Amino acid sequence: MQKFVMQGGKKLEGDIPVQGAKNSALPILSAALLCEGESILENCPKLSDVYTACRILTSAGCQCNMQGHTVSIRADSVSHSEIPETLMQEMRSSIIFMGAMLGRLGTCTMGYPGGCELGSRPIDLHLQAFRRMGVKIHEHHGILSCTTPNGLHGAKIHLQFPSVGATENILLASVMAKGETILTNAAREPEIIDLANYLNRCGAKIRGAGCSTIYVQGVQKLKGCTYRIMPDRIVTATWLSAVAMTGGNVRLIGTDTTSLEGILDVFEEMNCRFSRSENTLCFSAGKPLHAVRYLKTMPYPSFPTDAQPVVMSALCVADGTSLIEETIFENRFRHVEGLCRMGADIQITGRAAVVHGVHRLHGAQVSATDLRGGAALLVAGLSAEGETILTEISHIDRGYDSPEVLLRNVGAGIVRI
Ligand code: UD1
């Protein structure tokens, strides 16, 4: 079992390269299953979730190879439409292989995806949409068997909620379905645009990705291409929180500042300073750091739920009281216990957290409970006085590529043991 040991309180200063986005890499890896020939995905982060996606591709009959941050996938001989239960359980995102399998083979068998750490995470919207596209779904002892007796066809689909995963699954299933799919109330996250850009580069006909209505005209086949995964905006928000908390000053290299709107507004309210060019963000901590009056997580372009835990860490040491409302997931305050153990003053009522800023946090032994909650404790440990021991870091390895290496390069006291 690995852990991070941190000697906190060191200012972060220097350049931080930003990794490729996990939430973009995973659906694009799944999309590679649809393509004939080879896809070469650059800027792919080295993460346990990416390795799991590669194992799913391999189990379906693809050849998958990762060298450095480049993954090549050959999907010429996809033959197997059953995803092994162990792989389904390893990550929630395994569900987005359903749309790709259906698009490629017209059939798919899988269990429910694992990872319910943020509360109940239903897939009803995914299944409803597939049914509208001609998929017959039979459930037996928790295993979903999907078939398309009359082929997959386009449909008019309205999502009750702009689910990111459901939007991706519908794109994956519709690009080679017969006819047109019109998706309304679609998720507008930048990672949806990245997926659509990759698919279009492979020959798909998708219009409107990034807007609420997306039009997909089904095509006969797709051909693999070389594509660069977009930078990770949640990882960017994590390092901004760490810099804000430690009073530092960094340059984030290779980030996409246009996708950071809802996030940068919050750091501005916290009194942090930044200037940006196309792919570089120069950022200095607010002195002092200010509380934010009201922070509400919402679908893009508002403030993302994935950035809530890490920003909460920074607010723990801001001047004044911040109110945070979590509207996306019901159980996304699990990091609060660890933060309070480090001296934070946070009260939770239902989906709201009231954070009273304290002068500083102190080191403690804490455990990562989920991916972004773990990142929140990592950020807190970098600024806390004394030693923090952070355990259960396999959660963090699902989304952060060698965080201790890049943090040490900007002056943090952190080792992996
Ligand atoms: C994706 C992201 C995750 C992020 C989340 C919200 C990936 C790999 N994961 O997850 O990091 O936190 O978006 O931005 O990109 N819902 C239903 N029924 C469904 C599907 C979703 O009720 O069929 C609800 C969920 O319970 C939740 C909300 O919709 O309350 C948002 O979920 P969704 O956008 O689907 O999140 P994910 O795609 O799972």
Side-chain angles (χ1 to χ4, degrees), residues 126-403:
H126 304 236
L127 301 184
Q128 270 167 27
F130 289 144
R131 285 195 182 98
R132 288 187 70 83
M133 299 180 73
V135 180
K136 298 274 175 261
I137 304 170
H138 178 73
E139 189 185 340
H140 189 62
H141 292 313
I143 301 292
L144 298 159
S145 302
C146 306
T147 51
T148 48
N150 300 311
L152 206 55
H153 56 75
K156 283 193 173 147
I157 300 167
H158 178 79
L159 289 177
Q160 291 303 322
F161 181 87
S163 155
V164 175
T167 300
E168 289 165 348
N169 242 338
I170 294 163
L171 287 185
L172 292 164
S174 61
V175 280
M176 291 206 292
K178 197 162 174 234
E180 188 180 41
T181 297
I182 301 175
L183 174 60
T184 50
N185 201 26
R188 294 187 287 156
E189 269 67 3
E191 293 78 12
I192 305 276
I193 303 178
D194 213 30
L195 171 64
N197 285 346
Y198 164 75
L199 285 166
N200 282 343
R201 187 87 68 80
C202 295
K205 290 196 171 142
I206 304 171
R207 279 190 299 122
C211 304
S212 293
T213 303
I214 303 181
Y215 303 84
V216 185
Q217 188 66 51
V219 296
Q220 293 275 319
K221 62 177 180 183
L222 298 177
K223 188 150 179 16
C225 71
T226 298
Y227 191 78
R228 188 171 173 82
I229 305 288
M230 68 175 279
D232 196 310
R233 61 198 172 95
I234 306 304
V235 169
T236 301
T238 306
W239 303 147
L240 295 184
S241 297
V243 176
M245 261 189 119
T246 59
N249 186 352
V250 296
R251 274 195 328 169
L252 288 157
I253 312 287
T255 187
D256 171 12
T257 55
T258 56
S259 67
L260 295 172
E261 291 308 331
I263 293 172
L264 288 178
D265 289 349
V266 172
F267 283 103
E268 197 162 33
E269 195 179 336
M270 288 164 77
N271 195 31
C272 298
R273 304 286 153 88
F274 50 84
S275 64
R276 43 185 156 165
S277 64
E278 199 188 333
N279 63 1
T280 301
L281 183 67
C282 299
F283 182 88
S284 320
K287 290 177 187 154
L289 213 52
H290 292 170
V292 295
R293 221 158 39 89
Y294 179 43
L295 182 58
K296 184 177 181 178
T297 64
M298 298 270 279
Y300 191 84
S302 295
F303 187 77
T305 173
D306 282 358
Q308 174 265 110
V310 293
V311 169
M312 182 190 283
S313 291
L315 293 173
C316 287
V317 292
D319 272 358
T321 296
S322 307
L323 171 62
I324 301 178
E325 188 184 350
E326 171 60 55
T327 73
I328 308 292
F329 293 111
E330 62 197 19
N331 193 10
R332 203 153 204 187
F333 288 141
R334 295 177 69 204
H335 48 285
V336 167
E337 191 189 329
L339 289 175
C340 289
R341 195 176 294 177
M342 298 172 79
D345 180 354
I346 305 168
Q347 274 124 35
I348 305 283
T349 315
R351 287 188 173 208
V354 179
V355 184
H356 300 287
V358 296
H359 188 51
R360 64 164 64 94
L361 300 183
H362 55 75
Q365 171 139 5
V366 288
S367 246
T369 50
D370 58 78
L371 165 56
R372 306 300 172 189
L377 298 176
L378 170 68
V379 163
L382 295 173
S383 86
E385 198 172 60
E387 183 173 89
T388 294
I389 298 176
L390 175 55
T391 59
E392 305 289 339
I393 60 172
S394 56
H395 290 294
I396 297 174
D397 290 330
R398 287 189 40 228
Y400 294 82
D401 184 343
S402 316

Side-chain angles (χ1 to χ4, degrees), residues 23 92-93 121-126 163-165 306 328-329:
N23 289 354
R92 161 84 188 171
S93 311
R121 295 180 78 175
I123 54 167
D124 55 321
L125 300 176
H126 304 236
S163 155
V164 175
D306 282 358
I328 308 292
F329 293 111

